[in-house]
Amino acid sequence: MAFGTWRLLNDAEVGTPEGLLGRLKTCLDLGITTIDTAEIYGGYRVEELVGAALALDAGVRSRMEIVTKAGIYVPCEFHPDRKTAFYNTTADRLVRSAEKSLRFLGVETIDLFLVHRPDWFTHPDETAAGLNRLVASGKVRAAGVSNYTVTQFDALSARVERPLVTNQVQFSPFCCDPLFDGTFDQCFARGIRPMAWSPTGGGRLFRGDDEAGARFRAAAEGLSGHYGGASVDQLCCAWGLSHPVGPLVITGTNRDERLRSFAGGAGIRLEREHWYALTEAARGRKIP
Ligand SMILES: NC(=O)c1ccc[n+]([C@@H]2O[C@H](COP(=O)([O-])OP(=O)(O)OC[C@H]3O[C@@H](n4cnc5c(N)ncnc54)[C@H](OP(=O)(O)O)[C@@H]3O)[C@@H](O)[C@H]2O)c1
């Protein structure tokens, strides 16, 4: 599992270096040693917060791996001239962004650097050149992508000197696309593991007014006894982690007790029929 930092600044308690350090210690207690962040998170402010939290405790820093991403540029306070959001995964942009991430995070190497989204206006030769430079210089230990289609992944893979190690995609009982669009088949074929963002559908699992969430909750409550009284969030966590492609589930809760609860699902291996029952419930369609 990984701890996601997209929503950190939504929360006054965890949105400070001390508050975040506390949450990272909880992660370590739970065996979560990966932080997932990105240049753009929190209006380009979250990486600095992560760096400030890690600077408070070298012991915590030494036990955590950092994943960050680059390539999305939106109108923001630092660029008042920008009118339209755009993607830029040209070589120079990727290298500059990674160097900025290194400074903000206060580290010498990024463990895993991802192209955040496919850039429709850049030749894959360019993107590959940037990733190759970053890996060759040691600024980045490994490179991957996020939200890439299978064909975009193939086009970039053919040009990088070291294999891309992951595709970080949306995957949850509320978004099963990677099961059907070839993403997971490609991971099997290449022997890599995907990362799964928004594992509870960004909180849909818990919303009273969400029909798919209500169906999943009812199905999970029916199975709870079979799994020693596991809670709905734990069965949702187990749903993602149980898939044989081995997704690295990125949880996004800012709350300590919810993090502890969700991570409790990591010890559960869902039985085949139960995994299908939960999938059927969330999708609202009979398994054909
Ligand atoms: N690569 C990409 O394009 C991409 C896109 C999106 C996200 N990500 C990554 O994936 C991470 C996770 O995404 P996510 O935050 O959408 O994941 P998530 O874990 O599915 O959703 C988190 C949301 O659910 C709420 N929640 C969690 N447990 C709850 C509970 N028991 N009751 C009520 N609400 C609950 C959280 O609120 P509280 O904080 O109040 O608990 C938060 O608003 C992000 O932080 C980011 O690192 C990557």
Side-chain angles (χ1 to χ4, degrees):
M1 285 179 65
F3 175 63
T5 61
W6 177 32
R7 301 177 193 269
L8 278 186
L9 293 178
N10 298 356
D11 186 295
E13 187 209 328
V14 80
T16 64
E18 294 74 15
L20 176 56
L21 180 66
R23 200 55 36 88
L24 296 179
K25 287 180 175 168
T26 304
C27 285
L28 289 175
D29 280 351
L30 297 168
I32 299 172
T33 58
T34 302
I35 302 172
D36 183 79
T37 191
E39 180 184 34
I40 192 181
Y41 287 174
Y44 302 93
R45 290 181 177 283
V46 159
E47 284 185 319
E48 265 180 302
L49 173 62
V50 172
L54 293 174
L56 293 174
D57 192 324
V60 170
R61 164 67 198 109
S62 67
R63 294 170 64 197
M64 306 246 35
E65 288 185 324
I66 299 177
V67 181
T68 194
K69 326 179 192 74
I72 306 179
Y73 303 95
V74 299
C76 66
E77 62 185 294
F78 305 112
H79 292 279
D81 49 314
R82 232 178 239 167
K83 302 282 181 261
T84 309
F86 57 88
Y87 305 137
N88 186 348
T89 65
T90 53
D92 286 347
R93 179 65 261 177
L94 288 179
V95 170
R96 276 206 312 279
S97 288
E99 287 170 345
K100 180 156 62 82
S101 297
L102 287 169
R103 275 199 314 280
F104 283 178
L105 293 164
V107 296
E108 285 176 6
T109 307
I110 295 165
D111 296 298
L112 176 56
F113 182 77
L114 306 181
V115 178
H116 203 152
R117 281 192 177 272
D119 171 3
W120 316 319
F121 196 61
T122 293
H123 195 295
D125 280 349
E126 264 286 325
T127 307
L131 297 180
N132 290 339
R133 267 160 62 189
L134 285 168
V135 174
S137 65
K139 290 174 180 161
V140 158
R141 193 158 286 138
V145 295
S146 182
N147 304 304
Y148 265 47
T149 64
V150 169
T151 47
Q152 287 163 341
F153 193 100
D154 280 340
L156 186 59
S157 284
R159 293 162 165 88
V160 285
E161 283 156 12
R162 289 252 300 277
L164 301 171
V165 300
T166 196
N167 190 2
Q168 185 180 119
V169 292
Q170 184 174 12
F171 180 57
S172 74
F174 308 98
C175 176
C176 294
D177 296 355
L179 298 173
F180 309 116
D181 65 12
T183 302
F184 283 2
D185 300 333
Q186 181 174 54
C187 290
F188 282 126
R190 290 183 176 268
I192 60 172
R193 295 171 67 185
M195 298 180 75
W197 58 263
S198 291
T200 72
R204 281 183 67 184
L205 177 63
F206 311 103
R207 265 177 237 136
D209 59 352
D210 190 281
E211 285 180 20
R215 288 194 304 265
F216 186 96
R217 289 195 301 275
E221 279 158 12
L223 293 174
S224 167
H226 188 83
Y227 293 98
S231 53
V232 167
D233 57 322
Q234 289 172 340
L235 289 171
C236 183
C237 173
W239 183 93
L241 289 172
S242 296
H243 192 275
V245 79
L248 291 137
V249 168
I250 316 169
T251 175
T253 178
N254 276 329
R255 302 225 200 151
D256 219 62
E257 71 283 5
R258 290 178 179 174
L259 180 60
R260 287 184 185 282
S261 174
F262 187 76
I268 302 171
R269 280 294 164 266
L270 285 181
E271 290 175 24
R272 177 174 300 275
E273 190 176 335
H274 296 158
W275 187 88
Y276 275 100
L278 293 170
T279 307
E280 181 174 90
R283 295 179 78 218
R285 265 183 275 168
K286 285 274 174 219
I287 304 292

